[in-house]
Amino acid sequence: MLELKNVCYSVETKDGVKDILKNVSLTIDDRFVVITGPNGSGKSTLAKIIAGIIEPTSGQILLDGVDITEMSITERANLGVSFAFQQPVRFKGITVHDLICLAAGRELTISQACEFLSECGLCAKDYVNREVNASLSGGELKRIEIAMILARGTKLSLFDEPEAGIDLWSFNSLIKVFENMHRTIKGNILIISHQERILNFADQIVLLSDGEIKKVGKQDEIMPLILGSNQVCEQIKV
């Protein structure tokens, strides 16, 4: 279970202090949670604070009762937090098999690594020995990144706008992967997304606007609010 208590984040600008997040308090205990809201509402900042990429200005973050507020990315990863970037990193000279072994924390056979790739809708034999370089598309990289998270088997898996920068075919494949994760994963999944198809199978939706949580609830509670708001609705993609 993840708990955020009065998390704030501010930055210095030429015009003075700008508040990005304002006293965000949230408990994430459902299997599949989506944070949505208008552009600039602080969604990606919140995800990076949870992952430990940036530090909050104030507030507290607890994972299963353990205070992780001042822990590094590595320390949080060791406790079971995974983070998938909007744009996955490419590693020239490292194979897909190498990455999945690193994620799992142990040496995997080709067959074991292929199982994780297959779960993500990739023809494993075509990918397991490929380098993670520019020859891979954005959609392929994102599914490989998800395979790494599956191999880790973490308590909390964070995805920052996984639909960003991929084509419709790759997105449809990605949706199937998330639907499968929703059914099978034992930990919590937290996704930052504008995609209605992702919102529609969330166990819980968090609506963030202007750095503040406006509403937390089930899909049938939140979607009417989203669709009734021009500011949010125009950014929701079907």
Side-chain angles (χ1 to χ4, degrees):
M1 181 172 69
L2 180 73
E3 296 177 84
L4 306 178
K5 297 184 177 181
N6 300 311
V7 170
C8 298
Y9 182 70
S10 303
V11 294
E12 292 280 352
T13 71
K14 63 180 181 180
D15 298 318
V17 176
K18 179 177 177 60
D19 297 323
I20 307 298
L21 295 174
K22 308 166 188 175
N23 291 310
V24 172
S25 293
L26 178 66
T27 298
I28 293 173
D29 198 21
D30 284 293
R31 180 172 293 184
F32 201 100
V33 179
V34 178
I35 297 179
T36 194
N39 291 333
S41 59
K43 302 183 302 298
S44 291
T45 298
L46 183 57
K48 290 174 182 176
I49 283 175
I50 293 170
I53 296 170
I54 57 179
E55 296 182 9
T57 304
S58 61
Q60 191 178 28
I61 306 168
L62 304 174
L63 181 66
D64 290 342
V66 177
D67 190 339
I68 65 171
T69 311
E70 297 184 2
M71 289 187 181
S72 67
I73 300 173
T74 302
E75 289 170 322
R76 295 184 197 204
N78 289 336
L79 285 178
V81 178
S82 294
F83 183 78
F85 292 88
Q86 284 189 30
Q87 300 297 328
V89 180
R90 300 175 190 268
F91 299 92
K92 186 176 180 180
I94 296 179
T95 68
V96 172
H97 178 239
D98 293 334
L99 275 185
I100 294 177
C101 288
L102 285 170
R106 66 186 191 280
E107 187 64 30
L108 299 174
T109 65
I110 294 293
S111 177
Q112 288 171 322
C114 284
E115 287 181 15
F116 293 114
L117 291 170
S118 296
E119 284 186 55
C120 294
L122 295 172
C123 182
K125 64 182 178 63
D126 293 338
Y127 289 92
V128 70
N129 290 316
R130 285 182 66 176
E131 282 191 20
V132 186
N133 56 25
S135 69
L136 294 168
S137 71
E140 289 169 331
L141 280 171
K142 289 192 178 185
R143 281 183 281 167
I144 289 167
E145 192 170 46
I146 294 172
M148 292 169 61
I149 287 175
L150 291 174
R152 287 201 69 209
T154 50
K155 294 178 182 178
L156 177 66
S157 301
L158 295 164
F159 296 89
D160 187 7
E161 297 195 27
E163 69 270 16
I166 61 175
D167 58 30
L168 180 61
W169 184 89
S170 295
F171 174 70
N172 288 334
S173 300
L174 202 64
I175 287 293
K176 292 177 183 177
V177 173
F178 281 130
E179 287 174 340
N180 185 55
M181 287 180 73
H182 185 209
R183 290 191 300 268
T184 62
I185 199 166
K186 294 179 181 178
N188 301 117
I189 303 169
L190 178 59
I191 298 182
I192 308 298
S193 181
H194 286 137
Q195 284 288 347
E196 185 176 5
R197 287 177 62 185
I198 293 177
L199 291 168
N200 280 338
F201 61 83
D203 295 316
Q204 183 183 68
I205 297 175
V206 179
L207 180 57
L208 192 69
S209 181
D210 193 27
E212 299 178 298
I213 293 178
K214 299 301 182 183
K215 184 74 174 178
V216 179
K218 301 295 183 183
Q219 184 266 346
D220 59 351
E221 299 174 274
I222 304 299
M223 287 305 292
L225 296 177
I226 292 173
L227 298 176
S229 168
N230 290 334
Q231 185 184 22
V232 181
C233 184
E234 66 185 14
Q235 293 166 15
I236 297 297
K237 302 171 186 176
V238 297

